[in-house]
Amino acid sequence: AQSVTQLGSHVSVSEGALVLLRCNYSSSVPPYLFWYVQYPNQGLQLLLKYTTGATLVKGINGFEAEFKKSETSFHLTKPSAHMSDAAEYFCAVIPKDSNYQLIWGAGTKLIIKP
Amino acid sequence: SQTIHQWPATLVQPVGSPLSLECTVEGTSNPNLYWYRQAAGRGLQLLFYSIGIGQISSEVPQNLSASRPQDRQFILSSKKLLLSDSGFYLCAWSRGTGRESGAFFGQGTRLTVV
């Protein structure tokens, strides 16, 4: 069965530093790929998605992610972290060979140090 | 534009009491609808999803049930709450399986069973 792995339940970076949150999927057929952000006690908000086309995808709040088929990865990055980026981030996929819904990673809590 | 409403935002209920959480979607028709739960420090667990009125699929055996009495209304219920039902409940919708646009979430309900 398809699975999504997010490396690191917590990632801590200094304000102004590069943010890198890792996501790997397990299928040989690349799925549809998504990153969501969740602020405390709120719902999830879509940051960006990859369905087809250019493998570098830009999203809201200065985030971007690159789909790398050879590495089965869809890592999320932001060049310079801001205090307001502190939140939990979820990677999710929808397999192309099924009619099933989103399969979620366990989430990574991003901590920003002043 | 589409919006999703979920209420209440917080709820404290005694063990053994009933539960009803409601979710409605506006601005779209025939959405797929979902109920998720987040337990403290854990990821997203899909509880139920629905592809149409009266069509409910349950992902995990539990003390909860769901109903879809109208196209854009999704209700999560329990006849007798357990302590283990505490958590953050999220309603979501998608166009079809969400392949092209992902899922859109409500603001969540924080349920504490005491």
Side-chain angles (χ1 to χ4, degrees):
Chain A
Q2 173 80 267
S3 65
V4 179
T5 302
Q6 290 185 241
L7 189 62
S9 60
H10 293 77
V11 169
S12 181
V13 303
S14 298
E15 191 174 17
L18 171 72
V19 175
L20 171 60
L21 303 181
R22 300 177 188 273
C23 173
N24 288 88
Y25 60 90
S26 63
S27 67
S28 57
V29 176
Y32 299 91
L33 298 152
F34 305 85
W35 273 102
Y36 283 82
V37 61
Q38 184 182 30
Y39 299 100
N41 293 311
Q42 293 189 27
L44 278 74
Q45 180 183 8
L46 181 66
L47 268 180
L48 48 78
K49 60 182 173 17
Y50 173 77
T51 55
T52 60
T55 56
L56 182 62
V57 181
K58 295 187 185 298
I60 62 172
N61 302 340
F63 283 92
E64 60 184 36
E66 186 171 12
F67 165 58
K68 291 187 176 180
K69 182 178 178 180
S70 61
E71 299 178 7
T72 62
S73 68
F74 191 54
H75 300 333
L76 182 70
T77 59
K78 182 173 180 177
S80 177
H82 192 272
M83 295 300 291
S84 61
D85 295 326
E88 190 156 21
Y89 292 80
F90 291 91
C91 182
V93 307
I94 297 178
K96 287 184 179 176
D97 56 355
S98 81
N99 290 319
Y100 204 60
Q101 57 275 1
L102 287 156
I103 299 170
W104 295 89
T108 298
K109 194 159 288 187
L110 178 62
I111 300 161
I112 311 296
K113 297 179 292 186
Chain B
S1 63
Q2 299 83 22
T3 55
I4 178 168
H5 302 280
Q6 184 182 344
W7 67 92
T10 59
L11 192 59
V12 180
Q13 292 282 96
V15 169
S17 64
L19 173 74
S20 181
L21 302 181
E22 189 164 342
C23 172
T24 59
V25 180
E26 296 178 357
T28 189
S29 59
N30 197 32
N32 279 14
L33 296 170
Y34 310 87
W35 278 111
Y36 286 91
R37 177 170 60 198
Q38 278 182 301
R42 302 183 68 177
L44 287 156
Q45 179 186 34
L46 179 63
L47 301 175
F48 301 95
Y49 71 94
S50 171
I51 62 172
I53 296 174
Q55 300 179 67
I56 310 293
S57 295
S58 174
E59 288 298 296
V60 293
Q62 59 206 316
N63 185 43
L64 302 167
S65 62
S67 61
R68 184 171 178 172
Q70 301 180 45
D71 181 45
R72 292 169 290 172
Q73 184 185 29
F74 206 25
I75 298 172
L76 183 70
S77 304
S78 174
K79 291 182 179 178
K80 288 186 178 182
L81 283 169
L82 306 172
L83 287 174
S84 58
D85 292 323
S86 294
F88 192 53
Y89 289 82
L90 290 159
C91 181
W93 74 274
S94 67
R95 293 185 187 89
T97 60
R99 289 179 173 184
E100 295 299 323
S101 54
F104 302 91
F105 285 79
Q107 288 301 295
T109 296
R110 175 71 60 190
L111 172 65
T112 304
V113 182
V114 296

